[in-house]
Amino acid sequence: MLLIKCPFCGPRPEIEFAYGGQAHIERPKDPMSLDDEAWAEYLYIRNNTRGVHSERWRHINGCARFFNVRRDTISDEILVTYKVGEAPDAVPEKDRPTKGGAVR
Amino acid sequence: MKRFSAISVVREALRGNSAWPRQWRSPEPKPRYDVVIVGGGGHGLATAFYLADRYGVRNVAVLEKGWIGGGNTGRNTTIIRSNYLFDESARMYEHALKLWEGLSRQLNYNVMYSARGVLMLAHNIHDVQSFKRHVHANRLNGIDNEWLSPQECKEYCPPLNVGGEMRYPILGGALQRRGGTARHDAVAWGYARAADALGVDIIENCEVTGIRRAVSGGVEGLETTRGFIRAGKVGVVAAGNTSVVMNMAGVRLPLESFPLQALVSEPVKPAFPCVVMSNTIHAYISQSDKGEMVIGAGTDAYTSYSQRGALHIANHTLDAICELAPMFRRLRMLRNWGGVVDVTPDRSPIVAKTSVPGLYLNCGWGTGGFKATPGSGDLFAFTIAKDEAHPINAPFTIERFREGVMIDEAAAAAVAH
Ligand SMILES: Cc1cc2nc3c(=O)[nH]c(=O)nc-3n(C[C@H](O)[C@H](O)[C@H](O)COP(=O)(O)OP(=O)(O)OC[C@H]3O[C@@H](n4cnc5c(N)ncnc54)[C@H](O)[C@@H]3O)c2cc1C
Ligand SMILES: [Zn+2]
């Protein structure tokens, strides 16, 4: 089970969270202008990254808020969690998980 | 290839089984093949076998980054059935089931296909309605599937807890008697041996690291850890790693890879006569010929390539198993493991040509593709050899996600299947 650091509540076990899929997929600004190709890309096509993956999680059994996580999909190590709208690289070193996926 | 027969088995037994040859060669890759298959799981090996056996393409190689059958083929719980809801799926899985029925004979290899019946349990009104709909739809498609009352479920599978105190009581079940199990490793080995005998090169420890394309855009060959291999056509059958391989050709896909787990108990005497599945409470169980209870659990919530799932997922399944069959409460679990399954949005596979000339794709079998192995191999071989889809796999395109023509078994089953 992952130990996930909610940016609002702190480290909590995975069962408090719901996975929200690939992060940073932008909702179409003008849906009427999209062709089928663009809709398929938005709805169905995913990076499915083997390596560092940006993804959304929701602290559904806690504060219920969405946030973002960067996780290595080979080791499942969580590299950083950050709020929506925040740049992941701006998260200070002390607030990042330690090696091995544990959270300080 | 030395054929297995009653006589040859007895003769070799008397000679101490010392004279059996290798079951397949371990060749160096040739510089060029007509067709190269990426991925030495059951589907890839079956594709190579049918290419050589049915479609006359014999200059074929299968490239496997590890050892054959080391992916999901060797990690799954081997449930075989064809009672899917939609016409397209019914045709697809029934094509495979028909091949299973004669497979050991065709391959001269005992794949231990055992039609012991697959019983899918209903636990709420929605299940009852949906399963009865499946039964009727299957019958219209000429596929056996019948509705059993709780008492009939109990008669078919005595360990089941019907009528007892249960959070999700058994309200009946859909039984496909021709469904069952097969020995997963034997499927990989049997296809490998038979394909090898027809001249197919099976190249293990050979990871594909790049797909080289000609100026025209078509496939030229593959970069591998054992050098460049030129290829007339390339068929990708890489299950959980499909997105990674197809990325090498610049093709993006509607796929996500999730860990899926299974576990086995200590071996016990024959105690469980059939396969029982419960989608609603996530329990999949049968007994292997060694005596282990083979149990399938659910997928983890998140995409991962780690080939292991979380403990709470396995725990959840064991809770359900203990309610379904209380006599297993004191059974000890021996091993657990995970595979990485490639899941499409509608939970149906893709077996199709791609936008890249000479590049073919077979993927998206997700949590339930073992049962399709022979059929998938045959149809994919047809598609590669003739450069067009067979009518059975014609609906299973990549374009269906753009066109909106889903084969929505996800909605039909509501969960992994
Ligand atoms: C725990 C579990 C339980 C399951 N239970 C069932 C079940 O009961 N019934 C059912 O029908 N299905 C079940 N499935 C699903 C089933 O296992 C798969 O759908 C099926 O085995 C897929 O076969 P495959 O040959 O496509 O994939 P695999 O056997 O995974 O083969 C793909 C191969 O490609 C290789 N590969 C990947 N990348 C590269 C590369 N770059 N270069 C070279 N080779 C590469 C891999 O090493 C692998 O061997 C289950 C799966 C799991 C994990
Ligand atoms: Zn929170």
Side-chain angles (χ1 to χ4, degrees):
Chain A
M1 188 179 310
L2 304 178
L3 186 60
I4 302 172
K5 184 178 171 187
C6 171
F8 306 98
C9 311
R12 300 292 176 88
E14 180 195 329
I15 44 173
E16 291 191 12
F17 298 85
Y19 182 64
Q22 184 183 324
H24 311 307
I25 298 176
E26 216 174 309
R27 187 181 283 268
K29 288 206 175 61
D30 178 14
M32 297 311 283
S33 70
L34 258 57
D35 59 9
D36 291 354
E37 198 74 49
W39 272 119
E41 174 73 28
Y42 171 66
L43 290 172
Y44 302 123
I45 308 289
R46 294 294 177 261
N47 294 342
N48 200 18
T49 309
R50 186 185 164 104
V52 178
H53 186 235
S54 302
E55 59 201 23
R56 299 188 310 165
W57 284 81
R58 188 177 181 200
H59 193 189
I60 186 76
N61 296 313
C63 64
R65 285 205 259 188
F66 276 98
F67 59 96
N68 296 316
V69 172
R70 278 207 177 156
R71 182 176 53 91
D72 184 335
T73 61
I74 300 172
S75 63
D76 289 337
E77 182 185 353
I78 292 175
L79 305 172
V80 62
T81 63
Y82 52 104
K83 292 176 187 165
V84 172
E86 214 175 60
D89 302 327
V91 177
E93 193 60 39
K94 69 171 177 48
D95 291 336
R96 288 168 186 258
T98 52
K99 262 276 186 241
V103 185
R104 256 184 247 151
Chain B
M1 177 176 95
K2 187 164 186 167
R3 287 185 65 82
F4 293 118
S5 67
I7 294 170
S8 71
V9 168
V10 170
R11 188 183 338 105
E12 292 310 319
L14 294 174
R15 290 197 282 180
N17 283 317
S18 56
W20 289 111
R22 290 183 71 99
Q23 298 292 296
W24 56 87
R25 296 162 298 130
S26 181
E28 281 302 310
K30 288 190 254 177
R32 183 189 180 281
Y33 293 93
D34 293 340
V35 176
V36 177
I37 302 296
V38 181
H43 289 234
L45 293 163
T47 305
F49 168 73
Y50 291 114
L51 272 171
D53 185 62
R54 287 196 171 175
Y55 305 109
V57 187
R58 297 213 167 179
N59 185 19
V60 176
V62 178
L63 309 184
E64 166 54 50
K65 72 173 174 180
W67 59 94
I68 61 166
N72 295 339
T73 297
R75 295 165 184 268
N76 81 96
T77 51
T78 77
I79 299 174
I80 297 172
R81 60 187 182 90
S82 66
N83 51 355
Y84 282 70
L85 182 65
F86 295 109
D87 295 351
E88 295 87 347
S89 328
R91 277 196 291 272
M92 174 66 105
Y93 291 99
E94 181 63 13
H95 181 61
L97 189 53
K98 292 235 167 70
L99 290 170
W100 278 116
E101 286 167 342
L103 194 60
S104 292
R105 187 172 295 268
Q106 186 177 17
L107 297 180
N108 180 238
Y109 203 92
N110 188 0
V111 299
M112 296 163 77
Y113 166 61
S114 157
R116 59 184 69 178
V118 174
L119 179 59
M120 297 173 78
L121 298 176
H123 301 277
N124 53 42
I125 300 298
H126 171 80
D127 281 357
V128 172
Q129 291 171 344
S130 139
F131 287 8
K132 285 188 173 169
R133 183 181 174 209
H134 275 72
V135 168
H136 295 311
N138 291 153
R139 285 194 173 169
L140 289 174
N141 276 316
I143 290 169
D144 72 305
N145 195 11
E146 58 195 276
W147 176 256
L148 300 191
S149 69
Q151 208 45 48
E152 288 166 330
C153 289
K154 175 89 183 162
E155 278 157 28
Y156 195 73
C157 186
L160 289 181
N161 173 20
V162 305
E165 280 292 303
M166 230 176 137
R167 172 67 181 83
Y168 295 101
I170 296 171
L171 301 182
L175 172 66
Q176 185 174 30
R177 292 181 193 269
R178 289 156 66 234
T181 56
R183 169 92 200 277
H184 49 12
D185 295 327
V187 173
W189 299 337
Y191 273 120
R193 171 171 169 273
D196 175 89
L198 295 171
V200 171
D201 281 359
I202 292 159
I203 301 163
E204 296 176 286
N205 297 308
C206 179
E207 179 172 353
V208 171
T209 53
I211 298 178
R212 201 189 282 178
R213 293 171 63 176
V215 192
S216 64
V219 162
E220 205 169 59
L222 298 166
E223 317 279 355
T224 80
T225 48
R226 295 178 69 171
F228 179 69
I229 301 173
R230 205 167 284 281
K233 296 175 177 177
V234 170
V236 174
V237 206
N241 282 289
T242 300
S243 298
V244 179
V245 175
M246 292 302 285
N247 229 343
M248 298 170 191
V251 178
R252 284 167 57 73
L253 292 170
L255 283 182
E256 288 188 298
S257 295
F258 294 94
L260 179 67
Q261 298 179 69
L263 53 169
V264 293
S265 72
E266 58 189 339
V268 291
K269 286 184 178 173
F272 205 79
C274 60
V275 180
V276 165
M277 301 175 56
S278 170
N279 289 341
T280 303
I281 59 176
H282 285 300
Y284 308 86
I285 182 166
S286 67
Q287 188 170 21
S288 74
D289 290 344
K290 275 191 285 184
E292 305 150 324
M293 301 306 307
V294 180
I295 296 170
T299 49
D300 281 275
Y302 47 85
T303 63
S304 174
Y305 289 83
S306 67
Q307 288 204 133
R308 60 173 175 255
L311 190 59
H312 67 277
I313 304 281
N315 239 338
H316 176 76
T317 291
L318 293 178
D319 286 349
I321 299 278
C322 291
E323 278 239 310
L324 278 184
M327 72 180 201
F328 291 139
R329 284 191 180 159
R330 290 167 62 197
L331 201 61
R332 282 168 299 192
M333 292 299 132
L334 213 59
R335 295 177 276 130
N336 79 325
W337 63 86
V340 179
V341 297
D342 48 329
V343 174
T344 58
D346 63 0
R347 302 295 186 274
S348 287
I350 295 167
V351 183
K353 295 168 67 165
T354 70
S355 55
V356 178
L359 184 63
Y360 302 81
L361 180 61
N362 183 342
C363 69
W365 292 99
T367 58
F370 177 73
K371 63 177 73 66
T373 304
S376 153
D378 177 39
L379 299 168
F380 195 42
F382 181 103
T383 306
I384 294 172
K386 312 219 186 251
D387 193 38
E388 66 176 328
H390 185 281
I392 297 178
N393 66 306
F396 294 84
T397 59
I398 310 178
E399 289 76 27
R400 73 177 186 269
F401 297 98
R402 189 184 66 208
E403 293 157 0
V405 203
M406 309 286 171
I407 305 163
D408 207 347
E409 294 292 341
V415 291
H417 49 101

